Coordinates of all heavy atoms in Angstrom, one line a residue:
M4 N -48.8 -35.0 51.8 CA -47.7 -34.1 51.5 C -46.5 -34.5 52.2 O -46.4 -34.7 53.4 CB -48.3 -32.7 52.0 CG -47.3 -31.6 51.7 SD -48.1 -30.0 52.3 CE -48.2 -29.2 50.7
P5 N -45.3 -34.6 51.5 CA -44.1 -35.1 52.2 C -43.5 -34.0 53.1 O -43.7 -32.8 52.8 CB -43.1 -35.3 51.0 CG -43.7 -34.6 49.8 CD -45.2 -34.5 50.1
H6 N -42.9 -34.5 54.1 CA -42.2 -33.5 55.1 C -40.9 -33.1 54.6 O -40.1 -34.0 54.2 CB -42.2 -34.2 56.5 CG -41.4 -33.4 57.5 ND1 -41.9 -32.2 58.0 CD2 -40.2 -33.6 58.0 CE1 -41.1 -31.7 58.9 NE2 -40.0 -32.5 58.9
T7 N -40.6 -31.9 54.6 CA -39.3 -31.4 54.2 C -38.5 -31.0 55.4 O -38.9 -30.2 56.2 CB -39.4 -30.2 53.2 OG1 -40.2 -30.5 52.1 CG2 -38.1 -29.7 52.8
A8 N -37.3 -31.6 55.5 CA -36.4 -31.3 56.7 C -35.8 -29.9 56.5 O -35.6 -29.5 55.3 CB -35.3 -32.3 56.8
T9 N -35.7 -29.1 57.5 CA -35.1 -27.8 57.4 C -33.9 -27.8 58.4 O -33.8 -28.6 59.3 CB -36.1 -26.7 57.9 OG1 -36.5 -26.9 59.2 CG2 -37.3 -26.7 56.9
Q10 N -33.0 -26.9 58.1 CA -31.8 -26.6 58.9 C -31.7 -25.1 59.0 O -32.3 -24.4 58.3 CB -30.6 -27.2 58.3 CG -30.2 -26.6 56.9 CD -29.0 -27.2 56.4 OE1 -28.0 -27.5 57.1 NE2 -28.9 -27.4 55.0
T11 N -30.9 -24.7 59.9 CA -30.6 -23.3 60.0 C -29.1 -23.1 59.9 O -28.3 -24.0 60.2 CB -31.1 -22.7 61.4 OG1 -30.3 -23.4 62.4 CG2 -32.5 -22.8 61.7
V12 N -28.8 -22.0 59.3 CA -27.4 -21.6 59.1 C -27.2 -20.1 59.6 O -28.2 -19.4 59.6 CB -26.9 -21.7 57.6 CG1 -26.8 -23.2 57.2 CG2 -27.8 -20.9 56.7
S13 N -26.1 -19.8 60.0 CA -25.8 -18.4 60.5 C -24.6 -17.8 59.7 O -23.7 -18.5 59.4 CB -25.4 -18.4 61.9 OG -26.5 -18.8 62.7
Y14 N -24.7 -16.5 59.4 CA -23.7 -15.8 58.7 C -23.5 -14.5 59.4 O -24.4 -13.8 59.8 CB -24.1 -15.5 57.2 CG -24.2 -16.8 56.4 CD1 -25.4 -17.4 56.1 CD2 -23.0 -17.4 55.9 CE1 -25.5 -18.5 55.3 CE2 -23.1 -18.6 55.1 CZ -24.4 -19.1 54.9 OH -24.4 -20.3 54.1
S15 N -22.2 -14.1 59.4 CA -21.9 -12.8 60.0 C -22.3 -11.7 59.0 O -22.2 -11.8 57.8 CB -20.3 -12.7 60.2 OG -19.9 -13.6 61.2
V16 N -22.8 -10.6 59.6 CA -23.3 -9.5 58.8 C -22.6 -8.2 59.3 O -22.5 -8.1 60.5 CB -24.8 -9.3 58.9 CG1 -25.3 -8.1 58.1 CG2 -25.5 -10.6 58.3
F17 N -22.1 -7.4 58.5 CA -21.5 -6.1 58.9 C -22.4 -5.0 58.5 O -22.9 -5.0 57.3 CB -20.1 -5.9 58.2 CG -19.1 -6.9 58.8 CD1 -18.7 -8.0 58.0 CD2 -18.6 -6.8 60.0 CE1 -17.8 -8.9 58.5 CE2 -17.7 -7.7 60.5 CZ -17.3 -8.8 59.8
Y18 N -22.7 -4.1 59.4 CA -23.6 -2.9 59.1 C -22.7 -1.7 59.1 O -21.8 -1.5 60.0 CB -24.6 -2.8 60.2 CG -25.5 -4.0 60.3 CD1 -25.3 -5.1 61.1 CD2 -26.7 -4.1 59.5 CE1 -26.1 -6.2 61.2 CE2 -27.5 -5.2 59.6 CZ -27.2 -6.2 60.4 OH -28.0 -7.3 60.5
E19 N -22.9 -0.8 58.2 CA -22.1 0.4 58.0 C -23.1 1.6 57.7 O -24.0 1.4 56.9 CB -21.1 0.2 56.9 CG -20.1 1.3 56.7 CD -19.1 0.9 55.7 OE1 -19.4 0.9 54.5 OE2 -18.0 0.6 56.1
P20 N -22.9 2.7 58.3 CA -23.7 3.9 58.0 C -23.5 4.2 56.5 O -22.4 4.2 56.1 CB -23.2 5.0 58.9 CG -22.5 4.3 60.0 CD -21.9 3.0 59.5
A21 N -24.6 4.5 55.9 CA -24.5 4.9 54.5 C -24.3 6.4 54.4 O -24.9 7.2 55.2 CB -25.8 4.5 53.7
P22 N -23.5 6.9 53.4 CA -23.3 8.4 53.4 C -24.6 9.2 53.2 O -24.7 10.3 53.7 CB -22.4 8.5 52.1 CG -21.8 7.2 51.9 CD -22.8 6.2 52.5
E23 N -25.6 8.6 52.5 CA -26.8 9.3 52.2 C -27.8 9.1 53.4 O -29.0 9.6 53.3 CB -27.4 8.9 50.9 CG -27.8 7.4 50.8 CD -26.7 6.5 50.5 OE1 -25.5 6.9 50.3 OE2 -27.0 5.3 50.5
G24 N -27.4 8.4 54.4 CA -28.3 8.1 55.5 C -28.7 6.6 55.5 O -28.6 5.9 54.5
G25 N -29.1 6.1 56.7 CA -29.5 4.7 56.8 C -28.2 3.9 56.9 O -27.2 4.3 57.3
Y26 N -28.4 2.6 56.6 CA -27.3 1.6 56.9 C -27.2 0.6 55.7 O -28.3 0.3 55.1 CB -27.6 0.8 58.1 CG -27.5 1.7 59.3 CD1 -28.6 2.3 59.8 CD2 -26.3 1.8 60.0 CE1 -28.5 3.2 61.0 CE2 -26.1 2.6 61.1 CZ -27.3 3.3 61.6 OH -27.2 4.1 62.7
V27 N -26.0 0.2 55.4 CA -25.8 -0.8 54.4 C -25.4 -2.1 55.2 O -24.6 -2.0 56.2 CB -24.7 -0.4 53.5 CG1 -24.3 -1.6 52.5 CG2 -25.1 0.8 52.7
A28 N -25.9 -3.2 54.8 CA -25.6 -4.5 55.4 C -24.9 -5.4 54.4 O -25.4 -5.6 53.3 CB -26.9 -5.2 56.0
M29 N -23.7 -6.0 54.8 CA -23.0 -6.8 53.9 C -22.7 -8.2 54.6 O -22.5 -8.3 55.8 CB -21.6 -6.2 53.6 CG -21.8 -4.9 52.9 SD -20.2 -3.8 53.1 CE -20.5 -3.2 54.8
V30 N -22.7 -9.3 53.7 CA -22.5 -10.6 54.2 C -21.3 -11.2 53.5 O -21.3 -11.6 52.4 CB -23.7 -11.5 53.8 CG1 -23.6 -12.9 54.5 CG2 -25.1 -10.9 54.3
P31 N -20.1 -11.1 54.2 CA -18.8 -11.5 53.6 C -18.8 -12.9 53.0 O -18.2 -13.2 52.0 CB -17.8 -11.3 54.7 CG -18.4 -10.3 55.6 CD -19.9 -10.6 55.6
A32 N -19.5 -13.8 53.6 CA -19.4 -15.3 53.2 C -20.3 -15.5 51.9 O -20.2 -16.5 51.3 CB -19.9 -16.2 54.3
L33 N -21.1 -14.5 51.6 CA -22.0 -14.7 50.4 C -21.7 -13.5 49.5 O -22.3 -12.4 49.6 CB -23.5 -14.6 50.9 CG -23.9 -15.6 52.0 CD1 -25.3 -15.4 52.3 CD2 -23.6 -17.1 51.5
P34 N -20.8 -13.7 48.5 CA -20.4 -12.6 47.7 C -21.5 -11.9 46.9 O -22.4 -12.7 46.4 CB -19.4 -13.3 46.7 CG -18.9 -14.5 47.4 CD -20.0 -14.9 48.3
G35 N -21.6 -10.6 47.0 CA -22.7 -9.9 46.4 C -24.0 -9.8 47.2 O -25.0 -9.2 46.7
C36 N -24.0 -10.4 48.3 CA -25.2 -10.4 49.1 C -25.1 -9.2 50.1 O -24.3 -9.2 51.0 CB -25.4 -11.7 49.9 SG -26.9 -11.8 50.8
H37 N -26.0 -8.2 49.8 CA -26.0 -7.1 50.7 C -27.4 -6.4 50.6 O -28.2 -6.8 49.7 CB -24.9 -6.1 50.3 CG -25.0 -5.6 48.9 ND1 -24.4 -6.3 47.9 CD2 -25.6 -4.6 48.3 CE1 -24.6 -5.7 46.7 NE2 -25.4 -4.7 47.0
S38 N -27.7 -5.5 51.5 CA -29.0 -4.8 51.5 C -28.8 -3.5 52.2 O -27.6 -3.2 52.6 CB -30.1 -5.7 52.1 OG -31.3 -5.1 51.8
Q39 N -29.9 -2.8 52.4 CA -29.8 -1.6 53.2 C -31.1 -1.3 53.8 O -32.1 -2.0 53.6 CB -29.4 -0.4 52.2 CG -30.5 -0.2 51.1 CD -30.0 0.8 50.1 OE1 -28.9 1.1 49.9 NE2 -31.0 1.4 49.5
G40 N -31.1 -0.3 54.7 CA -32.4 0.1 55.4 C -32.2 1.5 56.0 O -31.0 1.9 56.2
D41 N -33.3 2.2 56.3 CA -33.2 3.4 56.9 C -32.8 3.4 58.4 O -32.3 4.4 58.9 CB -34.6 4.2 56.8 CG -34.9 4.6 55.4 OD1 -34.0 4.8 54.6 OD2 -36.1 4.6 55.0
T42 N -33.0 2.2 59.0 CA -32.6 2.0 60.4 C -31.9 0.7 60.4 O -31.9 -0.1 59.5 CB -33.8 1.9 61.3 OG1 -34.6 0.7 61.0 CG2 -34.7 3.2 61.2
L43 N -31.2 0.5 61.6 CA -30.5 -0.8 61.7 C -31.5 -2.0 61.7 O -31.2 -3.0 61.1 CB -29.7 -0.9 63.0 CG -28.4 -0.2 63.0 CD1 -27.8 -0.1 64.4 CD2 -27.4 -0.9 62.1
Q44 N -32.6 -1.8 62.3 CA -33.7 -2.9 62.3 C -34.1 -3.2 60.9 O -34.3 -4.3 60.5 CB -34.8 -2.5 63.2 CG -34.5 -2.4 64.7 CD -33.8 -1.1 65.0 OE1 -33.8 -0.1 64.3 NE2 -33.2 -1.0 66.2
E45 N -34.4 -2.1 60.1 CA -34.8 -2.3 58.7 C -33.7 -3.0 57.9 O -34.0 -3.9 57.1 CB -35.2 -1.0 58.1 CG -35.8 -1.2 56.7 CD -36.2 0.1 56.0 OE1 -35.9 1.2 56.6 OE2 -36.8 0.1 55.0
A46 N -32.5 -2.6 58.1 CA -31.4 -3.2 57.4 C -31.3 -4.7 57.7 O -31.0 -5.5 56.8 CB -30.1 -2.4 57.7
Q47 N -31.4 -5.0 59.0 CA -31.4 -6.4 59.4 C -32.5 -7.2 58.8 O -32.3 -8.3 58.3 CB -31.4 -6.5 60.9 CG -31.3 -7.9 61.4 CD -31.3 -8.1 62.9 OE1 -31.9 -7.3 63.6 NE2 -30.7 -9.2 63.4
R48 N -33.7 -6.7 58.8 CA -34.9 -7.4 58.1 C -34.6 -7.6 56.6 O -34.8 -8.7 56.1 CB -36.2 -6.6 58.3 CG -36.8 -6.7 59.6 CD -38.2 -6.2 59.6 NE -38.3 -4.9 59.1 CZ -38.2 -3.7 59.9 NH1 -38.0 -3.8 61.1 NH2 -38.4 -2.5 59.3
N49 N -34.1 -6.5 56.0 CA -33.8 -6.6 54.5 C -32.7 -7.6 54.2 O -32.8 -8.3 53.3 CB -33.5 -5.2 54.0 CG -34.7 -4.3 54.0 OD1 -35.9 -4.8 54.2 ND2 -34.5 -3.0 53.9
V50 N -31.6 -7.6 55.0 CA -30.5 -8.5 54.7 C -30.9 -9.9 55.0 O -30.4 -10.8 54.4 CB -29.2 -8.0 55.4 CG1 -29.1 -8.4 56.8 CG2 -28.0 -8.6 54.6
T51 N -31.7 -10.1 56.0 CA -32.2 -11.5 56.3 C -32.9 -12.0 55.0 O -32.7 -13.2 54.7 CB -33.1 -11.5 57.5 OG1 -32.4 -11.0 58.7 CG2 -33.7 -12.9 57.8
E52 N -33.8 -11.2 54.5 CA -34.5 -11.6 53.3 C -33.6 -11.9 52.1 O -33.7 -12.8 51.4 CB -35.5 -10.6 52.9 CG -36.3 -10.9 51.7 CD -37.4 -9.9 51.3 OE1 -37.6 -8.9 52.0 OE2 -38.0 -10.1 50.2
A53 N -32.5 -11.0 52.0 CA -31.5 -11.2 50.9 C -30.8 -12.5 51.1 O -30.5 -13.2 50.1 CB -30.6 -10.0 50.9
I54 N -30.4 -12.8 52.3 CA -29.7 -14.1 52.6 C -30.6 -15.3 52.2 O -30.2 -16.2 51.6 CB -29.3 -14.2 54.1 CG1 -28.2 -13.2 54.3 CG2 -28.8 -15.6 54.4 CD1 -27.9 -13.0 55.8
E55 N -31.9 -15.2 52.7 CA -32.8 -16.3 52.3 C -32.9 -16.5 50.8 O -32.9 -17.6 50.3 CB -34.2 -16.0 53.0 CG -34.2 -16.1 54.5 CD -35.5 -15.6 55.1 OE1 -36.3 -15.0 54.4 OE2 -35.7 -15.8 56.3
L56 N -33.1 -15.4 50.1 CA -33.2 -15.5 48.6 C -31.9 -16.0 48.0 O -31.9 -16.9 47.1 CB -33.6 -14.2 48.0 CG -35.0 -13.7 48.4 CD1 -35.2 -12.2 47.9 CD2 -36.0 -14.6 47.8
Y57 N -30.8 -15.6 48.5 CA -29.5 -16.0 48.0 C -29.3 -17.5 48.1 O -29.0 -18.2 47.2 CB -28.4 -15.3 48.8 CG -27.0 -15.4 48.3 CD1 -26.4 -14.3 47.6 CD2 -26.2 -16.5 48.4 CE1 -25.1 -14.4 47.2 CE2 -24.9 -16.7 48.0 CZ -24.3 -15.6 47.4 OH -23.0 -15.7 46.9
L58 N -29.7 -18.0 49.4 CA -29.5 -19.5 49.6 C -30.5 -20.3 48.8 O -30.2 -21.3 48.3 CB -29.7 -19.7 51.1 CG -28.6 -19.0 52.0 CD1 -28.9 -19.4 53.5 CD2 -27.2 -19.4 51.6
E59 N -31.8 -19.8 48.7 CA -32.8 -20.4 47.9 C -32.3 -20.6 46.4 O -32.5 -21.7 45.8 CB -34.1 -19.7 47.9 CG -34.9 -19.8 49.1 CD -36.2 -19.0 49.1 OE1 -36.6 -18.5 48.0 OE2 -36.7 -18.7 50.2
T60 N -31.7 -19.6 45.9 CA -31.1 -19.6 44.5 C -30.0 -20.7 44.4 O -30.0 -21.5 43.5 CB -30.6 -18.2 44.1 OG1 -31.7 -17.3 44.2 CG2 -30.0 -18.3 42.7
L61 N -29.1 -20.7 45.4 CA -28.1 -21.7 45.4 C -28.6 -23.1 45.4 O -28.2 -24.0 44.6 CB -27.1 -21.5 46.5 CG -26.2 -20.3 46.5 CD1 -25.4 -20.2 47.8 CD2 -25.3 -20.3 45.3
L62 N -29.6 -23.4 46.3 CA -30.2 -24.7 46.4 C -31.0 -25.1 45.2 O -30.9 -26.2 44.7 CB -31.1 -24.7 47.7 CG -30.4 -24.7 49.0 CD1 -31.4 -24.6 50.1 CD2 -29.5 -25.9 49.2
S63 N -31.6 -24.1 44.5 CA -32.4 -24.5 43.3 C -31.5 -24.8 42.2 O -31.9 -25.5 41.3 CB -33.3 -23.3 43.0 OG -32.6 -22.2 42.4
Q64 N -30.2 -24.4 42.3 CA -29.2 -24.7 41.2 C -28.4 -25.9 41.6 O -27.4 -26.2 40.9 CB -28.3 -23.5 41.0 CG -29.1 -22.3 40.4 CD -28.2 -21.0 40.3 OE1 -27.1 -20.9 40.8 NE2 -28.8 -20.0 39.7
G65 N -28.7 -26.5 42.7 CA -28.1 -27.7 43.2 C -26.7 -27.5 43.8 O -25.9 -28.4 43.9
E66 N -26.4 -26.2 44.2 CA -25.2 -25.9 44.8 C -25.2 -26.0 46.3 O -26.3 -26.0 46.9 CB -24.8 -24.5 44.4 CG -24.6 -24.3 42.9 CD -24.1 -22.9 42.6 OE1 -23.3 -22.3 43.3 OE2 -24.5 -22.4 41.5
D67 N -24.1 -26.3 46.9 CA -24.0 -26.3 48.4 C -24.1 -25.0 49.0 O -23.7 -24.0 48.4 CB -22.6 -27.0 48.8 CG -22.5 -28.4 48.4 OD1 -23.6 -29.1 48.3 OD2 -21.4 -28.9 48.1
L68 N -24.5 -24.9 50.2 CA -24.6 -23.7 51.0 C -23.1 -23.3 51.4 O -22.4 -24.2 51.9 CB -25.5 -23.8 52.2 CG -26.9 -24.1 51.9 CD1 -27.7 -24.1 53.3 CD2 -27.5 -23.0 51.0
P69 N -22.7 -22.1 51.2 CA -21.4 -21.7 51.7 C -21.3 -21.8 53.2 O -22.3 -21.5 53.9 CB -21.3 -20.2 51.3 CG -22.3 -20.0 50.2 CD -23.4 -21.0 50.6
R70 N -20.1 -22.2 53.7 CA -19.9 -22.2 55.1 C -19.0 -21.1 55.4 O -18.0 -20.8 54.7 CB -19.2 -23.6 55.5 CG -20.0 -24.8 55.2 CD -21.1 -24.9 56.3 NE -22.0 -26.0 55.9 CZ -23.2 -26.1 56.1 NH1 -23.9 -25.0 56.7 NH2 -23.9 -27.1 55.8
E71 N -19.3 -20.4 56.5 CA -18.4 -19.3 57.0 C -17.2 -19.9 57.5 O -17.2 -20.8 58.4 CB -19.2 -18.5 58.0 CG -18.5 -17.1 58.2 CD -19.5 -16.2 59.0 OE1 -19.5 -16.4 60.2 OE2 -20.1 -15.4 58.4
T72 N -16.0 -19.5 57.0 CA -14.7 -20.1 57.5 C -14.2 -19.4 58.7 O -13.1 -19.8 59.1 CB -13.7 -20.0 56.3 OG1 -13.6 -18.6 55.9 CG2 -14.2 -20.8 55.1
G73 N -14.7 -18.3 59.1 CA -14.2 -17.6 60.3 C -14.0 -16.2 59.9 O -13.2 -15.9 59.1
I74 N -14.7 -15.4 60.6 CA -14.5 -13.9 60.4 C -13.7 -13.3 61.5 O -14.0 -13.6 62.6 CB -15.9 -13.2 60.3 CG1 -16.8 -13.7 59.2 CG2 -15.8 -11.7 60.3 CD1 -16.3 -13.4 57.8
H75 N -12.7 -12.6 61.2 CA -11.9 -11.9 62.2 C -12.0 -10.5 62.0 O -11.8 -9.9 60.9 CB -10.4 -12.4 62.1 CG -10.3 -13.8 62.2 ND1 -10.2 -14.5 63.4 CD2 -10.1 -14.8 61.3 CE1 -10.1 -15.8 63.2 NE2 -10.0 -16.0 61.9
Q76 N -12.3 -9.8 63.0 CA -12.5 -8.3 63.0 C -11.4 -7.7 63.8 O -11.0 -8.2 64.9 CB -13.8 -7.9 63.5 CG -14.0 -6.4 63.4 CD -15.4 -6.0 63.9 OE1 -16.3 -6.9 64.1 NE2 -15.6 -4.7 64.0
G77 N -10.8 -6.7 63.3 CA -9.7 -6.0 64.0 C -9.7 -4.5 63.6 O -10.4 -4.1 62.7
K78 N -8.8 -3.8 64.2 CA -8.6 -2.5 63.9 C -7.1 -2.2 63.7 O -6.2 -2.7 64.4 CB -9.1 -1.6 65.0 CG -9.3 -0.1 64.6 CD -9.9 0.6 65.8 CE -11.4 0.6 65.7 NZ -12.1 1.6 66.5
V79 N -6.7 -1.5 62.6 CA -5.3 -1.2 62.3 C -5.1 0.3 62.4 O -5.9 1.1 61.9 CB -5.0 -1.7 60.9 CG1 -3.6 -1.3 60.5 CG2 -5.2 -3.2 60.8
T80 N -4.1 0.7 63.1 CA -3.7 2.1 63.2 C -2.5 2.4 62.4 O -1.5 1.6 62.5 CB -3.4 2.5 64.7 OG1 -4.6 2.1 65.5 CG2 -3.1 3.9 64.8
V81 N -2.5 3.4 61.5 CA -1.4 3.7 60.7 C -1.1 5.2 60.8 O -2.0 6.0 61.0 CB -1.7 3.4 59.2 CG1 -1.8 1.9 59.0 CG2 -2.9 4.1 58.7
P82 N 0.2 5.6 60.7 CA 0.5 7.0 60.8 C 0.1 7.7 59.5 O 0.2 7.1 58.4 CB 2.0 7.1 60.9 CG 2.4 5.7 60.4 CD 1.3 4.8 60.6
V83 N -0.4 8.9 59.6 CA -0.8 9.7 58.4 C -0.1 11.1 58.6 O -0.1 11.7 59.6 CB -2.3 10.0 58.4 CG1 -2.7 10.9 57.3 CG2 -3.0 8.6 58.4
P84 N 0.7 11.5 57.5 CA 1.4 12.8 57.6 C 0.4 13.9 57.8 O -0.7 13.9 57.3 CB 2.1 12.9 56.2 CG 1.9 11.6 55.6 CD 0.8 10.8 56.2
S85 N 0.8 14.9 58.6 CA 0.0 16.1 58.8 C 0.0 16.9 57.6 O 1.1 17.0 56.9 CB 0.6 16.9 59.9 OG 0.6 16.2 61.1
P86 N -1.1 17.6 57.2 CA -1.1 18.5 56.0 C -0.1 19.6 56.2 O 0.1 20.1 57.4 CB -2.6 19.0 56.0 CG -3.2 18.4 57.2 CD -2.3 17.6 57.9
S87 N 0.5 20.0 55.2 CA 1.4 21.2 55.2 C 0.8 22.5 55.4 O -0.2 22.8 54.9 CB 2.3 21.1 54.0 OG 3.0 19.9 53.8

């Protein structure tokens, strides 16, 4: 049985509370790759599986794995008029 080389890749994941409860997990470097879970831990397990399936699909189609080009996170404050 031939030995298959493996590599590891890392992607940034953003977790956000879902309005109906639980969490949504999004992977900006992989368009359309997202998942959810009732807890942060479940969301992390589920998005890890989603990333693995996403990458398997790309590789099976002969495509290169996306490289994360750099995620920058910040906060912007804007003035909002007071209600009348």
Side-chain angles (χ1 to χ4, degrees):
M4 182 178 244
H6 174 71
T7 303
T9 60
Q10 62 177 322
T11 59
V12 292
S13 296
Y14 293 101
S15 295
V16 177
F17 293 104
Y18 299 92
E19 186 174 74
E23 65 280 356
Y26 294 88
V27 175
M29 299 159 281
V30 187
L33 306 176
C36 186
H37 58 272
S38 193
Q39 62 186 24
D41 291 332
T42 65
L43 279 172
Q44 293 80 14
E45 183 179 11
Q47 183 178 27
R48 282 193 307 272
N49 292 343
V50 79
T51 298
E52 182 179 354
I54 292 168
E55 290 170 348
L56 293 171
Y57 191 107
L58 299 180
E59 284 177 19
T60 300
L61 290 178
L62 291 173
S63 73
Q64 296 172 352
E66 297 184 35
D67 293 331
L68 298 182
R70 297 286 177 214
E71 194 168 79
T72 57
I74 298 292
H75 301 280
Q76 182 178 349
K78 198 175 267 195
V79 176
T80 303
V81 297
V83 177
S85 299
S87 302

